[in-house]
Amino acid sequence: MRILIVVATQPEVEPLMQAFGMQKSDEADNLFVPRHASVANCSVLVTGAGMVPTAFALGKHLPHNVYNLVINLGIAGSFDRNIKLGDVVEITKDTFAELGAEDDTRFINIEQLGLGASIFNPTSSLVHFTKKISLQKVSAITVNTVHGNEGTIAEVTSRVKPQLESMEGAAFFYACRELKVPCVQIRAVSNYVEKRNRDNWQIGLAVKNLNTFALDLLKEL
């Protein structure tokens, strides 16, 4: 099966790319393919951080390339302290948390405005492709500004009740839904959502665990 790994930044999947001897494709600067086709039928698309680069990159690439599965890999912050730093999870619901309008202190989401949708789900799941590997399933929000203020953290937690946050997830789900491709989102927790404190971050652990899982998954697929 043909698999596309979608990632915001190359360092998040550098161990996987090294394992497969990835090199830039002649087709596009942000697409990487194994040096030897026999290694893995898998490509990596580096979109850049954020919703717009992610949606644009997928909208540009997917109509001209057929994949059996598209996987969004990345790290994320967690609101849920029951999820350990370094844990790898599967996102089954993702919300554009900032999409709407303010009415003084009240937030009106895009559904209430009658202008669209903010909640998106994957078009597939890991269980559809393998019964041997499973992950904890969680909900997430997608934001332009990652949270680091106690007041805004309390507000979004009360309003949406997310477990994780990223800057790309819901845009990835949206693009894959519109283009009708099977997709899943897998993330490893690098930090808790709190007042910004880099000393508490575990990015190295999250990247290590994410790539270990991804390599095991690709062997199964």
Side-chain angles (χ1 to χ4, degrees):
M1 61 188 299
R2 294 195 69 209
I3 300 167
L4 178 68
I5 302 295
V6 177
V7 63
T9 66
Q10 188 171 332
E12 290 172 277
V13 292
E14 192 64 42
L16 182 149
M17 294 178 68
Q18 290 180 2
F20 289 157
M22 292 281 187
Q23 62 184 3
K24 280 190 176 182
S25 167
D26 294 333
E27 299 176 22
D29 290 339
N30 58 349
L31 183 69
F32 296 79
V33 296
R35 288 193 181 91
H36 304 290
S38 60
V39 174
N41 201 5
C42 171
S43 301
V44 173
L45 180 67
V46 181
T47 64
M51 308 174 204
V52 173
T54 297
F56 178 81
L58 290 170
K60 183 179 179 181
H61 182 75
L62 289 179
H64 308 289
N65 297 272
V66 178
Y67 296 97
N68 301 105
L69 177 62
V70 181
I71 306 173
N72 183 202
L73 293 180
I75 59 176
S78 178
F79 295 90
D80 187 346
R81 296 282 176 145
N82 292 316
I83 300 174
K84 297 177 183 178
L85 296 183
D87 278 1
V88 181
V89 298
E90 180 177 3
I91 312 298
T92 55
K93 183 177 80 169
D94 211 319
T95 302
F96 289 113
E98 303 155 329
L99 189 58
E102 289 183 334
D103 182 4
D104 194 15
T105 60
R106 185 171 73 96
F107 180 81
I108 309 171
N109 63 38
I110 200 74
E111 287 90 351
Q112 292 169 317
L113 292 171
L115 297 176
S118 63
I119 301 172
F120 294 90
N121 306 100
T123 54
S124 191
S125 66
L126 284 180
V127 73
H128 289 165
F129 293 91
T130 176
K131 299 293 192 296
K132 295 182 180 180
I133 297 178
S134 64
L135 291 173
Q136 179 182 355
K137 295 174 174 54
V138 303
S139 65
I141 57 173
T142 298
V143 296
N144 284 308
T145 303
V146 295
H147 287 84
N149 173 275
E150 291 179 359
T152 59
I153 292 169
E155 189 279 331
V156 78
T157 301
S158 174
R159 176 166 55 86
V160 187
K161 297 177 175 57
Q163 291 172 278
L164 266 58
E165 75 172 5
S166 78
M167 302 180 76
E168 300 86 21
F172 169 79
F173 282 163
Y174 173 82
C176 290
R177 186 196 71 171
E178 293 298 299
L179 295 167
K180 297 180 174 57
V181 296
C183 74
V184 296
Q185 181 186 171
I186 307 297
R187 293 193 176 270
V189 175
S190 59
N191 62 281
Y192 291 119
V193 180
E194 60 187 358
K195 187 175 180 180
R196 194 173 179 85
N197 184 354
R198 294 180 66 92
D199 291 339
N200 290 342
W201 295 1
Q202 294 288 333
I203 292 177
L205 176 64
V207 169
K208 176 180 178 293
N209 291 352
L210 179 70
N211 283 263
T212 298
F213 173 82
L215 287 167
D216 289 343
L217 176 63
L218 290 172
K219 289 175 184 177
E220 286 296 324
L221 300 176

